[in-house]
Amino acid sequence: MTGSDVTRDGVEEARPEREALTGAHTGRRRRRRGRGERSMVPEARFSSYYGKPILNKPVWKPLDIAGYLYLGGLAGASSLLAAGGQATGRPVLARTAKLGAASAISLSLAALVHDLGRPARFVNMLRVLKPTSPMSVGSWLLAGYAPLTVAAAAADVAGRYRMAGAAATAGAAVVGPAVATYTAVLISDTAVPTWHEGYREMPFVFAGSAASAAAGLGLVGAPAAQAGPARRMAVLGAALELGAFQLMKRRTGLAAEPYEQGRPRTLLRAAEALTAGGAALAALAGRRPGREGRRLPATAGAALLAGSAALRFAVFHAGVVSAEDPKYTVVPQRERLDARGR
Amino acid sequence: MTRGSAAAAGGAGEEAVRANLLFGPQPDVAKAAGYTDTPPRMGFFTDTSVCIGCKACEVACKEWNSVPEDGLELTGMSYDNTQGLGADTWRHVAFIEQRKPLGGQEPGTGHQDVDVFDAARSLGTSASSPGPGATAPTPGSAPVGAPAGEISPVSPDGRTELRWLMSSDVCKHCTHAACLDVCPTGSLFRTEFGTVVVQEDICNGCGYCVPACPYGVIDQRPHDGRVWKCTLCYDRLGVGMEPACAKSCPTDSIQFGPLDELRERAAARVARLHAAGVTDARLYGENPEDGVGGDGAFFLLLDEPEVYGLPPDPVVTTRDLPSMWRHAAVAAASLAALAAVSFARRPR
Ligand code: SF4
Ligand code: SF4
C-alpha cells in the first residue's frame, strides 16, 4: 500500500510525500519476537487507535515498587524463619532472620515513602481502612508488622526483654505470611492484563519467592549446623515459585506473552537460573555439611536472594509492557465479546 | 434501605447486586454510597455521529478547570495532538481516518460535469434543488448532475473513500469505579450526582488508581504526584449548571442530563440512524449489565470501540477481588506450612 487513494480521476497510486496509513492499517502489527523462541500464542490481529495504549500504564518507579514487592516478601518469610529458629534452638539463624526482617521491612517502607514523595503521605494512608483497596489493607498490615519485627530484632540484639521479644517474634511470624502474599493482590487488583490475569497463581509465586529469598538470607548468615531449615526452605520455596509461575504462564495465554519478550524475558531467565541454581547448591550444601566451609552456602544464599529480586522485577516490567500495548487489552476482550455473540 | 427495595423489586439483576456489591447492576449508585436524599444520577451522552472535531470541549474544560497545558506536541499521527486522556487532558477528541464511506452520506467529490450557472438558475424551482437556505438535498432526490436513478456516485471506480470519525472521550464515571474502589485514602469519592471525583487535598499520589482504571482515564501529574481527571464539573453541577464541555459543544454531540433520560434519548438516536441506513451506529457503555455496571458517561459510536481507543469489554478489576483475597490467604497458609515443614525433623 504505497499509493495514495485520496485522488480523483483514477490517478490513484500516486505516491504521497511519505507513507501515511489510515484506518484499519494503523493497528500495530507484529512486534519482534523473543529470540529464537516460539511464541506461545497465535498472532493477534486487532484494531486500535493509532496503536496508542488503552490503559494508562503504572506510574510507579520500578526500583521503588519492584523493590517494595521483593523486600516485603523477604521480610515476611524471614519472620517465619526467625520464629522457627527461636523455637528449635537455632539462635544464629533466628537472629539473622530477625535482623533481616526488620531491615527489609524498613527498607521497603522507605521505598514506598520515596515513591509517594514524602513521609506524611504514608501517615495519610492510615486515614481509612478499605477492604476493597489492597493498598489500604497492606498499609495497615505494615503498620502492625514493622514495629513487631523491629521489637523482635531489638530484643534479640540487646539480649534483654526475653518475653516481649518472644511475643514480638511470634506476632511477626503470624503476620509475616500475609505481608509476603498481599502484594500479589496489590498488583493483580488492577486492569494491567499481565498482572490481573495471573491473580490466581501470583500469590503462590510471591509466597515461593519470599521463602527462597528468606532462605537465602538464612544460608548467608547462619552456620551450617543451624541452616538445615533454611536449606529445606530454599528447595521448597524455589519449587513453589517456579512451579506456580509455569502454571500462571500456561493458564493466562496472551497475557503471559510479555514474559517472553525483551527485558522481562531476560530478568525471568535470570530469576529461573538463579533460583533453581541456588536451591540446588543449598541442597548440595546439606549433603556435604562443613566440607566446603562457608563458601557453598553463601553462594547458594546470594543466588537465591538475587533470583527472588529478579523475579519481582520481571513481573513488574511485564505488567508495564502489557499496559503499554493495546493488543493485550483489546484481543482478549474482543474474543470474550465475540464469544458472547454480542 | 436498598436492601428493602431490592427485596421488593426481586429479579435476577437485584440478586447480583446483593450477591456482590463490587460488580453487576447497581440501580442507585448514590444511595449505595450512603446518600439518603439525592438528585437523579447525572451523566454524559456523547453522540459522536455529530461531532465535528472542533475541540471546543477540550478548550472549555481546560479553561473552566484551570487544567495546565500538557506539552504542546505535534505527534504527526493525525489531527489529534492530545493523544489520549491523562492528568491534564480531561476531554480528548479522537480523530480517526478510515477507508470507509460514512453511512448515509455521499462522499463523492466528482462534480466536473456540473454546470454551476445552470444549477444556480434553477435554484428553488426544482425538487432536486431545495432553494436558498437549505443545506441538504431533500431525501430521495439526486443532486443536479448525478446520473439518473442514482444517488451521486461514490467514486469513479467503485472504491470507497475516506471518512473521519471524531469522538470526544472523557472519564466514564463508572457505576463500579475501579479507581474509587482501590484508592487507599478515600480521596476518590462518589458524589450525590452519582459521579466520581478526586479530592486533590487528600490524594496521596500513590498512583494506585492509575493502572486500576480499565479505560485509561485517570493519571498522575508529573511534578505534582497527585492524580487528576474529569470531575463532571462537580462545582458547576452543585449550582445547577451543566458541565463546561457540554455547554460549549456547538453540535450537541455532548449531551448532559439525568442518566435515565439520556439513555432514552440515545436509544431513539440509534434507532433513527439505523433507519437512515447508518447500520454501524451503536451505543457503548450504556448497559447496566456490562462489566462496570454501566457508565455514567456513554457514547454513540460508528465503529468498534477499539477503533476509538476504548476497551471493547472492560470489567471492573474489583469484581475478582474476593477471589484474589482467597487465593492470597491460601498462599499465605502454604507459606506458613512450607516453613513448618522446613523445621520438621526428618525421621532418621
Ligand atoms: S473511567 Fe476510570 S477514572 Fe473514570 S470512573 Fe471509571 S475507573 Fe474511574
Ligand atoms: S493516587 Fe490519590 S486518588 Fe489515586 S488511589 Fe492514590 S490516593 Fe487515591
Side-chain angles (χ1 to χ4, degrees), chain B residues 171-174 176-180 196 212-218 229:
Chain B
C171 168
K172 316 299 179 292
H173 296 277
C174 312
H176 297 284
C179 60
L180 194 160
V196 178
C213 170
Y215 295 99
V217 170
I218 194 163
K229 73 168 191 74

Side-chain angles (χ1 to χ4, degrees), chain B residues 225-241:
Chain B
R226 294 175 297 171
V227 297
W228 304 81
K229 73 168 191 74
C230 159
T231 66
L232 218 141
C233 284
Y234 188 38
D235 50 347
R236 293 172 64 96
L237 261 57
V239 293
M241 299 200 313

Side-chain angles (χ1 to χ4, degrees), chain B residues 183-185 187-188 198 203-209 227:
Chain B
C183 175
T185 62
S187 160
L188 277 152
V198 198
C203 173
N204 230 358
C206 71
Y208 199 8
C209 49
V227 297

